[in-house]
Amino acid sequence: MAEPILNDISHRRFNLLRGSWILVSPHRNKRPWQGLQESPTKTTLPEYDAKCYLCPGNTRANGEQNPKFTNTFVFVNDYSAVKEEQQEFHPEQKPGSLATRLLRAEAVTGKCYVITFSPSHHLTLADLTPAQIIPIIETWTNLYAANLSPQSPLAQVARATTIPPLTQGDIAKPNAQYRYMQIFENKGTTMGCSNPHPHGQIWTTTSLPEEPSIELEQFKKYRREQGGANLLVDYAELESKEKERTVFENGSFWAGVPYWAVWPFEVMIVSRQQKRALVDFDDKERAELAEAIAEVTRRYDNLFETQFPYSMGLHQAPLEGSVEEIESSHFHIHFYPPLLRSATVRKFQVGYEMLAEPQRDITPEQAAERLRTCGGELYRRKL
């Protein structure tokens, strides 16, 4: 249990997933939700927008036409951050030179997808029922399986658990074997989302990105030091017992504010048992993951009665990696929302956070308590 004194004094907390520290200063903001009193925001988007690049049947920016999809739709991003084909780059090596020693670069190739969550232009994850979120999880699963290395320990599992296609779109195998797949969603213009139609992105790259790489090293370290134990299995078990930072839980998942959370209302969804990646889940577990996602996103919107912005991302086993990397991996989802006091007051990572270490004003326990009280019907349905 968190010591009560930690609600009153400055202190640091250790981030198990990054091996780093965060400063907590709760005395700066004893009552964090006493900010501006905002009126509830009303949904004004139409169910269909003829000018939207992501609505069924519409023409996208590159001139291609979307099909009349009924649940999810996947296509290769028209403006991909990485591409499958590009000019080759081989850095010049001059042994002994300062440039070779200090200036390093490497080429990265990959494939980027867009996935629409629903044909309806005005529905976000918070509006969708768990049953409506399941096809999204199944599409994520199929994309992950289609990109897995045949040599991965997960490949045999993937062949047995891949779901019959529920989507129209481009999920063909890539022309190369990529190292990692990052599935994520940016919700709201605050987080840089350029189209309000509910959608996420999937980037596959030849490199293992920094954040999942750092976490994977911590997983491997814990596994070695604790005789094969899994860090997040142990953590979810502890949090489920303590309850202080729990927002929602069911038989397969724990969802709550991490002990080391950086963002005010940051949430992590963790599988209770070790699940290396999406292909490890059965039908029941996919349904309970959908329930956890629905609960978290609905509580977010209810908190300040607004379309709550966030960046959300899945972390799981690499597409290609060593047996140790795959077996040390643990599926979890991060939600990083910027709002602090109200629908318009945000937390910024500036000054001390950028130059020293992350800092937060309210404790994770206070944030979790606030989110626990926001369950129930989505506020927009009561307007």
Side-chain angles (χ1 to χ4, degrees):
M1 302 290 284
E3 296 289 341
I5 193 175
L6 295 183
N7 284 322
D8 299 309
I9 66 168
S10 298
H11 62 280
R12 297 171 86 204
R13 298 193 183 195
F14 186 68
N15 184 337
L16 291 171
L17 295 185
R18 302 193 85 259
S20 59
W21 291 86
I22 171 175
L23 175 65
V24 185
S25 310
H27 59 282
R28 286 178 35 147
N29 210 346
K30 286 294 186 100
R31 302 179 69 183
W33 43 87
Q34 277 198 330
L36 297 175
Q37 297 298 314
E38 298 291 327
S39 298
T41 56
K42 297 182 179 180
T43 301
T44 57
L45 294 175
E47 183 175 1
Y48 168 78
D49 184 344
K51 297 180 180 179
C52 173
Y53 294 127
L54 301 183
C55 279
N58 287 2
T59 301
R60 299 203 305 276
N62 68 350
E64 294 185 18
Q65 187 174 25
N66 298 329
K68 295 283 189 178
F69 60 93
T70 56
N71 41 57
T72 65
F73 172 57
V74 176
F75 60 91
V76 176
N77 197 321
D78 300 328
Y79 300 97
S80 295
V82 290
K83 297 182 178 181
E84 290 195 284
E85 296 182 2
Q86 63 182 11
Q87 185 178 351
E88 291 190 6
F89 168 67
H90 301 287
E92 185 179 2
Q93 298 294 324
K94 294 181 179 180
S97 73
L98 284 176
T100 298
R101 186 187 311 165
L102 302 178
L103 308 179
R104 299 173 58 187
E106 61 182 20
V108 177
T109 56
K111 194 170 185 177
C112 297
Y113 305 87
V114 173
I115 168 176
T116 56
F117 295 157
S118 166
S120 298
H121 184 75
H122 65 308
L123 299 181
T124 68
L125 287 177
D127 297 283
L128 301 180
T129 65
Q132 292 172 312
I133 294 175
I134 288 175
I136 300 169
I137 297 171
E138 292 178 329
T139 302
W140 288 340
T141 304
N142 284 346
L143 275 163
Y144 181 86
N147 281 268
L148 261 178
S149 167
Q151 282 71 50
S152 170
L154 288 164
Q156 187 65 39
V157 176
R159 282 193 289 272
T161 60
T162 298
I163 301 100
L166 297 175
T167 179
Q168 303 175 67
D170 187 355
I171 58 172
K173 276 190 171 292
N175 64 10
Q177 180 56 60
Y178 298 119
R179 177 87 158 100
Y180 195 78
M181 172 177 284
Q182 182 58 64
I183 299 171
F184 66 98
E185 179 200 8
N186 294 324
K187 180 186 176 186
T189 55
T190 299
M191 305 309 291
C193 184
S194 59
N195 189 313
H197 193 111
H199 72 283
Q201 299 186 54
I202 302 99
W203 294 11
T204 58
T205 55
T206 48
S207 59
L208 179 61
E210 187 167 349
E211 287 299 314
S213 176
I214 290 171
E215 290 186 353
L216 189 52
E217 287 303 313
Q218 294 301 113
F219 291 155
K220 293 189 309 187
K221 181 174 181 287
Y222 189 88
R223 192 168 181 246
R224 289 192 299 265
E225 293 177 351
Q226 303 301 324
N230 180 280
L231 190 157
L232 284 181
V233 168
D234 288 352
Y235 179 69
E237 180 182 359
L238 175 64
E239 289 287 22
S240 184
K241 289 178 180 177
E242 293 203 348
K243 304 296 183 188
E244 286 183 295
R245 290 168 292 277
T246 298
V247 173
F248 172 81
E249 57 187 334
N250 56 28
S252 301
F253 294 91
W254 174 85
V257 182
Y259 183 79
W260 52 80
V262 173
W263 296 97
F265 294 97
E266 180 177 329
V267 164
M268 188 164 65
I269 298 176
V270 182
S271 59
R272 291 180 180 275
Q273 298 179 345
Q274 186 187 6
K275 301 292 177 177
R276 299 161 295 179
L278 285 160
V279 292
D280 276 339
F281 294 123
D282 59 25
D283 289 344
K284 177 178 181 292
E285 290 162 339
R286 282 190 289 270
E288 292 194 335
L289 176 57
E291 181 185 32
I293 292 172
E295 286 286 342
V296 169
T297 54
R298 188 173 68 253
R299 288 165 193 267
Y300 272 162
D301 278 19
N302 284 348
L303 180 62
F304 295 130
E305 296 192 330
T306 190
Q307 294 274 7
F308 202 87
Y310 58 74
S311 282
M312 174 270 282
L314 284 59
H315 282 172
Q316 56 188 325
L319 298 169
E320 181 179 55
S322 67
V323 172
E324 183 186 20
E325 286 180 329
I326 303 301
E327 298 305 328
S328 298
S329 296
H330 188 114
F331 177 91
H332 58 286
I333 301 179
H334 292 285
F335 286 84
Y336 296 140
L339 298 186
L340 173 60
R341 298 188 184 189
S342 72
T344 59
V345 178
R346 290 182 284 159
K347 165 72 175 179
F348 292 92
Q349 296 289 323
V350 296
Y352 190 87
E353 292 92 347
M354 296 177 69
L355 299 166
E357 67 184 12
Q359 182 270 342
R360 63 180 291 125
D361 291 343
I362 63 174
T363 66
E365 294 76 27
Q366 292 168 331
E369 182 180 8
R370 184 66 174 166
L371 287 171
R372 278 196 299 271
T373 66
C374 293
E377 188 177 12
L378 185 65
Y379 80 95
R380 288 189 289 277
R381 295 174 185 156
K382 297 181 285 187
L383 295 178

